[in-house]
Amino acid sequence: MSHPHPELPLPPALPSKGLRIVALGGLGEVGRNMAVLEYEGRLLIIDCGVLFPEDHQPGVDLILPDFEYIADRLDDVEAIVLTHGHEDHIGAVPYLLRLRRDIPLVGSRLTLAFVEAKLKEHRIKPVLRVVAEGQTQRFGVFDCEFVAVNHSIPDALAVAVTTGAGTVLHTGDFKMDQLPLDGRVTDLRAFARLGEKGVDLFMVDSTNAEVPGFVTNEVEIGPVLDTVFAQAEKRIIVASFSSHVHRVQQVLNAAHAHGRKVALVGRSMVRNMGIAAELGYLDVPPGVLIELKAAGSLPDDRVVYMSTGSQGEPMAALSRMANGDHRVAVGHGDTVILASSLIPGNENSVFRVINGLTRLGARVVHSGNAKVHVSGHASAGELLYCYNVLKPKNVMPVHGEVRHLVANAALAVRTGVPADRVVLAEDGVVIDLVDGKASVVGAVPCGYVFVDGSSVGAVTENELKDRRTLAEEGFVSVFAVVDTATGKVLAGPQILARGMAEDAAVFEEIQPDVVAALEEAIAGGATDTYQLQQIMRRVIGQWVNRRLRRRPMIVPVVVEA
């Protein structure tokens, strides 16, 4: 198996009739999925999603793919193919279209409806190309065939991209539920047909590659929800992804069966389910959906709140309920159902919400104690099945953390794919498909791009390090006035600490040492205020570290009289 080396050089020029693949996100992480394919100087992008920040990225709203690799080649982009409508596949589209607004967006009807609604908020009118399974369309030098795949959102598509270099099959996110709620199974007949024709590179979802066997069918969730609804004495709050149409459908059905009304909570939930119902992907039983404000007047045993926030997002509805900061006040006897799986990295946030809701007296039902959710990603058994059906010449695991990619690669080798034909890559690693062989040829710079409020890319890792220091170690400011002519400290040092438990008086013992260090430096010829500030920083820092066992952020200010 081909592993990327941390010191990979920049890639050479792409050989004639070669196909280049560069993932700008989604390899080594769950989210931020984006792949760029290049052939004969033209580019095709598959997905353009966001990654949600973790606890060690304070203040960050979203994390985008790094567009720098294609920033000066946007006119070469033929289209952006979107495999499905989840945020980790479409969330960064508005930020890319800010750079070139007329790039065609290609996807299924529901996927493009979700994207169009999102772009309306960014005041961007997109160029849309609606496609469906079974269709083939040409975008410049790329022939694209779209294949139905099953996922935790309707209308998901895999895409087979054919060029003179061969055929690449990209699954997007998929599983092989044989009894899907909408009757739309992963089209294994199309996979087999593509396999017969020859798949030169199989780019395959890795998220569940470590999980043995097959994913449970979605239909098995309905009876479990029905049982939970039957046992619930008071209000029911169900949290899921705002795009999980199938789960919302099951909640609507269970509510209807038990004489309850459903109120949608959260702007994205209301928007997405409105779109899904309008396009016929969501079948709303008559009279079941009500406005949020009307739900408060109903008896507790007659209402269901369908909410966002299943991943513990701080500003989402469920987190605010857990903190007692939402119009829906969770209380004793209420039932809360977390109808989603844990995205890696969100565990602490989710457990914090569960504890908060439990403290308020609610019964919390989640995938750890009941079968209220099934994954949308193929497990090991399903992946083995795909490898055997397709018999791909080369394999490139995508979508997952490093452990998922490695597990998926091992599955490919077990089915007979030669180890030297399985390419393990991370974000920015360049793969060339030349003469039927895929290989690592270099790497391009590819970092995280942070969205913080209205700023995009302004926050760097250094700023995040400062934020973490402020949060964990505190802040110390030091102010002094010096006269370089006489070599004396005229005022200060005045030391102010924030975020530290110690009394301010503790700093009095270091003040003489700061004065002595400054006066000694001036006597030695130091007159530059920056130099003097660094001396204050060093003296205070060493003392705080030794005396208080802390490493706070220290901001020294020296003013010359």
Side-chain angles (χ1 to χ4, degrees):
M1 287 182 282
S2 174
H3 284 265
H5 191 275
E7 300 301 325
L8 282 171
L10 287 170
L14 178 61
S16 174
K17 300 301 178 187
L19 176 72
R20 175 160 289 175
I21 301 105
V22 183
L24 301 183
L27 301 189
E29 63 213 352
V30 178
R32 210 172 67 120
N33 298 291
M34 182 175 178
V36 179
L37 277 60
E38 178 180 356
Y39 184 73
E40 292 187 344
R42 306 302 292 172
L43 304 178
L44 182 76
I45 295 170
I46 300 177
D47 289 328
C48 187
V50 295
L51 180 67
F52 293 102
E54 298 183 29
D55 290 344
H56 65 275
Q57 294 156 330
V60 173
D61 300 319
L62 296 170
I63 304 171
L64 307 179
D66 188 348
F67 301 142
E68 188 61 31
Y69 171 64
I70 58 169
D72 60 351
R73 298 191 57 192
L74 291 172
D75 289 339
D76 296 335
V77 177
E78 298 287 359
I80 303 171
V81 174
L82 301 170
T83 58
H84 63 282
H86 280 150
E87 284 296 302
D88 59 334
H89 291 256
I90 67 169
V93 168
Y95 300 94
L96 183 54
L97 290 193
R98 285 181 188 180
L99 306 178
R100 182 189 149 198
R101 295 194 169 214
D102 64 343
I103 303 175
L105 303 180
V106 182
S108 65
R109 200 160 61 113
L110 183 66
T111 301
L112 293 187
F114 281 178
V115 174
E116 190 174 24
K118 177 183 292 295
L119 288 169
K120 195 174 289 182
E121 296 178 3
H122 289 258
R123 298 186 179 144
I124 296 174
K125 181 146 186 66
V127 177
L128 303 178
R129 300 280 184 269
V130 178
V131 293
E133 57 263 29
Q135 284 187 331
T136 300
Q137 285 207 17
R138 188 173 181 86
F139 301 99
V141 296
F142 303 96
D143 280 313
C144 298
E145 179 180 346
F146 300 94
V147 180
V149 291
N150 185 250
H151 187 42
S152 53
I153 185 173
D155 247 10
L157 295 168
V159 58
V161 182
T162 300
T163 65
T167 296
V168 175
L169 177 59
H170 193 304
T171 63
D173 286 352
F174 86 114
K175 60 178 177 177
M176 286 163 48
D177 189 337
Q178 298 304 298
L179 298 169
L181 294 179
D182 59 3
R184 186 175 177 274
V185 296
T186 293
D187 191 351
L188 289 175
R189 292 189 301 174
F191 274 31
R193 178 173 47 76
L194 287 165
E196 288 293 327
K197 199 165 77 173
V199 171
D200 296 280
L201 180 63
F202 188 32
M203 298 174 69
V204 55
D205 180 11
S206 306
T207 313
N208 256 4
E210 289 185 309
V211 180
F214 289 72
V215 174
T216 306
N217 295 322
E218 289 275 355
V219 292
E220 295 187 26
I221 305 300
V224 178
L225 285 176
D226 194 66
T227 300
V228 175
F229 273 52
Q231 293 171 347
E233 300 170 3
K234 294 188 177 178
R235 294 174 302 176
I236 298 173
I237 298 112
V238 185
S240 83
F241 293 117
S242 62
S243 53
H244 202 330
V245 179
H246 295 324
R247 194 67 68 246
V248 174
Q249 182 69 68
Q250 289 172 314
V251 169
L252 291 175
N253 293 345
H256 184 58
H258 292 272
R260 290 179 180 258
K261 305 292 186 184
V262 177
L264 302 178
V265 184
R267 192 163 57 96
S268 57
M269 179 70 75
V270 172
R271 181 190 69 200
N272 289 346
M273 290 311 121
I275 292 169
E278 186 181 330
L279 295 180
Y281 293 94
L282 186 70
D283 180 20
V284 182
V288 166
L289 270 183
I290 58 170
E291 294 290 326
L292 180 58
K293 59 186 177 186
S297 60
L298 290 175
D300 285 354
D301 62 351
R302 286 289 171 264
V303 66
V304 177
Y305 295 101
M306 187 73 226
S307 166
T308 57
S310 62
Q311 295 302 307
E313 306 96 311
M315 295 309 294
L318 193 66
S319 290
R320 289 164 52 210
M321 290 179 201
N323 294 333
D325 183 30
H326 195 274
R327 64 192 293 179
V328 178
V330 176
H332 186 77
D334 289 341
T335 299
V336 180
I337 304 170
L338 270 67
S340 68
S341 54
L342 269 177
I343 292 177
N346 293 347
E347 294 88 351
N348 290 341
S349 300
V350 172
F351 294 144
R352 194 178 302 122
V353 168
I354 291 173
N355 286 327
L357 293 166
T358 305
R359 190 176 291 114
L360 292 171
R363 174 196 175 204
V364 183
V365 181
H366 53 87
S367 56
N369 59 25
K371 184 61 79 173
V372 289
H373 181 71
V374 296
S375 176
H377 303 271
S379 291
E382 293 152 85
L383 294 172
L384 290 170
Y385 204 104
C386 286
Y387 288 130
N388 286 328
V389 167
L390 284 164
K391 297 292 183 191
K393 297 180 180 69
N394 299 271
V395 170
M396 179 179 172
V398 296
H399 301 175
E401 296 179 351
V402 173
R403 60 195 171 97
H404 303 131
L405 304 178
V406 170
N408 200 355
L411 294 174
V413 171
R414 285 176 62 192
T415 63
V417 180
D420 65 343
R421 294 296 185 108
V422 180
V423 180
L424 279 171
E426 293 183 89
D427 295 341
V429 171
V430 179
I431 313 298
D432 282 358
L433 179 65
V434 180
D435 296 329
K437 176 80 163 47
S439 52
V440 173
V441 296
V444 297
C446 184
Y448 279 6
V449 176
F450 300 108
V451 178
D452 182 359
S454 60
S455 77
V456 178
V459 175
T460 65
E461 284 292 349
N462 285 336
E463 265 96 28
L464 288 182
K465 184 180 177 184
D466 287 347
R467 290 180 183 185
R468 288 193 291 271
T469 299
L470 285 167
E472 296 163 8
E473 301 289 347
F475 169 87
V476 175
S477 65
V478 194
F479 176 79
V481 180
V482 301
D483 184 343
T484 53
T486 63
K488 294 295 180 186
V489 176
L490 302 181
Q494 183 179 346
I495 302 174
L496 180 68
R498 287 286 181 267
M500 300 175 72
E502 290 76 18
D503 191 274
V506 76
F507 291 96
E508 291 174 4
E509 69 179 75
I510 189 58
Q511 286 175 321
D513 291 351
V514 176
V515 171
L518 287 173
E519 292 182 346
E520 182 184 335
I522 295 168
T527 56
D528 180 55
T529 54
Y530 177 78
Q531 237 180 318
L532 298 174
Q533 284 170 181
Q534 295 311 106
I535 288 165
M536 279 207 307
R537 183 200 300 275
R538 187 172 63 250
V539 173
I540 293 274
Q542 288 173 350
W543 178 83
V544 170
N545 189 19
R546 185 178 66 250
R547 173 82 163 72
L548 306 179
R549 296 287 187 266
R550 302 287 287 275
R551 293 182 180 273
M553 178 180 287
I554 299 172
V555 179
V557 178
V558 173
V559 177
E560 193 174 348

